[in-house]
């Protein structure tokens, strides 16, 4: 028995279903065989034989060609990538979505190499530092975080309190509303006037 010269329609459909899937997504060999028209009772065996190069070399070759076609269709090239980002930017501008347009343009710039994302990771141990280096590092940290360390919270807002004012505050400071309540609490009762 010789090798067939061309694929049957069912073999072609099987290969296409196997490579491209169906309406519900990718398909197994058995599902592709059933969708191509093979008997459900023999679909598993048919799927196995159709993907075996010893039994079906033309089908295996056709499956390979379809996979290459699919890769070429979805291939990412520099030119295609930059052109697609430009198309997305234009579509976003037409819709008035400026944020999306800016993101697309920034992505085009990154693809073109206009932006460099640099990260520097420094490692070291405190044990290896001298006493002078440790003191300098502590001073630098205190200077860097001074605005946060000197901030006080008043009714949900952070305000910076000058050092001179901070030392003049009493330790047991009473809020203005508490102070007013205490003041009103100690007022003498007013005499009622008779009419």
């Amino acid at each position: 028995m010789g090798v067939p010269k061309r694929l049957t329609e069912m073999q072609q459909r099987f290969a296409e279903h196997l490579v491209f899937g169906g309406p519900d997504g990718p398909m197994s060999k058995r599902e592709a065989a059933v969708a191509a028209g093979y008997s459900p009772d023999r679909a598993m065996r048919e799927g196995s034989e159709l993907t075996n190069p010893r039994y079906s070399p033309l089908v295996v070759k056709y499956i390979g060609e379809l996979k290459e076609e699919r890769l070429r269709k979805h291939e990412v090239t520099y030119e295609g990538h930059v052109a697609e980002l430009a198309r997305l930017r234009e579509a976003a501008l037409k819709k008035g979505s400026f944020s999306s347009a800016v993101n697309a343009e920034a992505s085009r710039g990154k693809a073109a190499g206009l932006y460099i994302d640099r990260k520097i990771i420094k490692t070291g141990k405190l044990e290896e530092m001298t006493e002078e280096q440790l003191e300098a590092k502590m001073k630098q940290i205190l200077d860097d975080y001074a605005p946060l360390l000197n901030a006080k919270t008043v009714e949900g807002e952070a305000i910076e309190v000058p050092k001179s004012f901070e030392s003049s505050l009493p330790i047991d400071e009473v809020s203005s509303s508490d102070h007013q309540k205490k003041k009103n609490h100690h007022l003498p009762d007013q005499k009622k006037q008779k009419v």
Side-chain angles (χ1 to χ4, degrees), residues 27-171:
M27 297 179 124
S28 66
K29 293 178 187 179
R30 182 187 180 288
E31 292 169 333
V34 170
Y38 290 95
S39 166
D41 297 334
R42 288 192 33 89
M44 187 177 282
R45 183 178 178 120
E46 290 289 346
S48 179
E49 289 177 359
L50 289 170
T51 55
N52 187 331
R54 271 192 280 169
Y55 297 119
S56 307
L58 293 177
V59 176
V60 172
K61 182 181 174 191
Y62 186 57
I63 289 171
E65 291 170 0
L66 290 175
K67 285 182 178 180
E68 285 180 25
E69 177 186 326
R70 185 182 64 188
L71 285 175
R72 278 193 307 272
K73 180 180 177 185
H74 299 291
E75 182 180 30
V76 177
T77 63
Y78 173 76
E79 293 82 13
H81 178 66
V82 172
E84 179 65 13
L85 287 170
R87 187 190 67 73
L88 291 171
R89 181 198 63 206
E90 294 303 320
L93 285 173
K94 285 181 184 175
K95 287 186 174 182
S97 180
F98 298 108
S99 177
S100 298
V102 167
N103 287 337
E105 187 60 26
S107 296
R108 285 181 68 217
K110 288 177 185 175
L114 298 176
Y115 302 102
I116 297 172
D117 191 16
R118 183 193 305 176
K119 294 178 182 168
I120 299 173
I121 300 172
K122 294 183 178 181
T123 59
K125 296 182 180 179
L126 293 176
E127 295 85 27
E128 297 173 358
M129 296 176 83
T130 65
E131 190 173 330
E132 293 82 24
Q133 289 173 327
L134 283 171
E135 287 177 6
K137 186 68 174 171
M138 292 291 287
K139 183 178 180 335
Q140 179 189 356
I141 291 170
L142 287 173
D143 290 343
D144 291 346
Y145 291 96
L148 292 174
L149 295 172
N150 295 332
K152 299 289 180 189
T153 304
V154 176
E155 295 182 21
E157 296 179 19
I159 59 169
E160 192 170 323
V161 178
K163 294 267 186 203
S164 60
F165 181 74
E166 191 175 273
S167 61
S168 67
L169 289 176
I171 295 173

